[in-house]
Every structure is written in C-alpha cells, then in structure tokens.
C-alpha cells in the first residue's frame, strides 16, 4: 500500500467497539475489518456483487458495485482501494428493483407474490402508470441476504408475460467525494 493511501486508511480505521458490524456493513477493506464503510446509494451494492472501494474525504470508504459508472468516472485512481464482502456476515440489505410492465389488472399482485414465495420481506413499493404507452414502472425495494436471491427473483419476474424489463437501477451522482 502506498504511504499516502496508508495515511488515509489510518484516518478511517474505527476503534474496536460494539457497533463494528454496523459501520462496516459486512465489507472488508484490504482484507481487514474495522474501517468505516458506506454503501453507495447510487448503486446499492449487496453481497455477491463485485465491488470497488474509494477512500472519501472524511466519510470513510465508499463502496460501489464494480460496474457503477459513478466509481469509474472522474475518480482519483490513487484513492481506489480493494474491498470484499465478509462472507461470515449474516444480515439483511435493501435492494431496489425496477420493473416495467403492462398497466393491467393483476400484474402488480403477481409481482408482489414472488418475494413472498421466496420468503423475502418487502420494504416498499411505488408504482407509476405511464399513460402514453399503457405501461407501469414499479419500484420495489426488498430485504435480501445476497445478490443470488435478487438474481433468482428478477429471473422469475421476467417470466411474467406482461413484464417488459426487470433491472437494478444505478443513479447518476455528481461526486462521491
């Protein structure tokens, strides 16, 4: 590790305390726990996703999905850091799924039955009808343990006849610094 990165890392190392799991979010920084870690809201990484870390000024390590354009655009490469999931952690993460479907009776009910069948709890649902093309955009936020659960759920949802697309959205942000 270059000296300037080591200095930044020592600034964000948390003293051993009872809320270690809460501040690390199940992420190891260069193979170690105990760093203040923030999961990026733009791409909302969850265990199983490939992730990348960025040392922010005063806010610890920001963790993004590796394919997030926000971590790739305009990033100071010296502040990039290796991060990985701590496989021993057992906690719930929220993940947003965006579904575009026909605006028909029964489609939403069919979609909402799927997380229940997989024993996944729903955090929130927001459906917006698109009057121009008679479709709806549904933002579904669910609690999951890992990306595998999300992948299975999204695959099932794509099999519904009236569903056009199912994705995990990434929000464009100006700066994560």
């Amino acid at each position: 590790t270059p000296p300037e990165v080591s200095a930044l890392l020592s600034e964000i190392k948390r003293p051993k305390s009872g809320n270690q799991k809460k501040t690390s979010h199940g992420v190891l920084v260069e193979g170690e726990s105990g760093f203040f870690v923030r999961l990026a809201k733009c791409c909302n990484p969850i265990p199983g996703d490939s992730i990348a870390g960025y040392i922010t000024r005063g806010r610890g390590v920001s963790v993004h999905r590796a394919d997030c354009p926000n971590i790739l655009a305009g990033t100071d490469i010296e502040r990039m850091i290796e991060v990985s999931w701590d496989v021993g952690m057992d906690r719930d993460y929220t993940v947003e799924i965006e579904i575009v479907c026909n605006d028909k009776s029964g489609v939403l009910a069919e979609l909402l039955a799927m997380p229940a069948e997989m024993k996944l709890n729903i955090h929130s649902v927001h459906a917006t009808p698109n009057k121009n093309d008679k479709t709806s955009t549904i933002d579904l936020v669910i609690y999951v343990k890992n990306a595998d659960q999300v992948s299975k759920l999204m695959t099932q949802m794509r099999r519904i006849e009236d569903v056009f697309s199912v994705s995990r959205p990434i929000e464009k942000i100006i700066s994560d610094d």
Side-chain angles (χ1 to χ4, degrees), residues 65 95-102 107 110-112 114-115 118 136-142 147 149-170:
R65 287 180 10 208
V95 66
E96 181 181 355
I97 299 174
E98 183 180 270
I99 305 145
V100 178
C101 59
N102 271 329
V107 177
E110 195 173 349
L111 287 165
L112 294 181
M114 290 181 168
M118 292 179 65
S136 280
T137 301
I138 300 166
D139 294 310
L140 174 65
V141 180
I142 57 171
Q149 287 181 324
V150 178
S151 178
K152 287 177 183 172
L153 177 62
M154 290 172 62
T155 297
Q156 285 184 347
M157 290 178 164
R158 287 183 184 111
R159 291 182 180 146
I160 297 175
E161 185 180 330
D162 289 299
V163 170
F164 301 121
S165 69
V166 180
S167 62
R168 283 179 62 193
I170 295 178

Side-chain angles (χ1 to χ4, degrees), residues 14-25 33-35:
R14 282 287 214 222
K16 299 241 181 262
S17 67
N19 69 348
Q20 197 81 5
K21 289 182 180 178
K22 189 174 186 179
T23 58
S24 72
H25 297 287
S33 62
F35 291 94

Side-chain angles (χ1 to χ4, degrees), residues 23-175:
T23 58
S24 72
H25 297 287
V27 173
L28 301 174
V29 177
E30 291 198 331
E32 290 185 42
S33 62
F35 291 94
F36 183 73
V37 169
R38 189 174 59 87
L39 299 179
K41 288 182 171 51
C42 54
C43 57
N44 198 22
I46 57 174
D49 288 338
S50 292
I51 53 176
Y54 182 75
I55 303 171
T56 62
R57 290 185 176 94
R59 291 185 296 158
V61 176
S62 180
V63 177
H64 293 259
R65 287 180 10 208
D67 64 346
C68 179
N70 297 310
I71 192 90
L72 304 172
T75 299
D76 186 356
I77 202 77
E78 292 84 39
R79 298 173 85 187
M80 295 290 293
I81 189 117
E82 182 188 329
V83 291
S84 60
W85 294 106
D86 183 352
V87 292
M89 293 290 284
D90 182 31
R91 54 169 293 186
D92 287 333
Y93 296 81
T94 57
V95 66
E96 181 181 355
I97 299 174
E98 183 180 270
I99 305 145
V100 178
C101 59
N102 271 329
D103 189 12
K104 276 174 61 174
S105 177
V107 177
L108 181 59
E110 195 173 349
L111 287 165
L112 294 181
M114 290 181 168
E117 288 169 13
M118 292 179 65
K119 300 192 179 0
L120 300 174
N121 287 329
I122 295 173
H123 176 272
S124 64
V125 179
H126 182 82
T128 307
N130 308 314
K131 301 283 185 216
N132 296 341
D133 59 5
K134 295 186 174 141
T135 64
S136 280
T137 301
I138 300 166
D139 294 310
L140 174 65
V141 180
I142 57 171
Y143 292 104
V144 297
K145 298 280 185 209
N146 54 51
D148 188 46
Q149 287 181 324
V150 178
S151 178
K152 287 177 183 172
L153 177 62
M154 290 172 62
T155 297
Q156 285 184 347
M157 290 178 164
R158 287 183 184 111
R159 291 182 180 146
I160 297 175
E161 185 180 330
D162 289 299
V163 170
F164 301 121
S165 69
V166 180
S167 62
R168 283 179 62 193
I170 295 178
E171 202 176 299
K172 180 74 177 133
I173 59 172
I174 308 299
S175 172

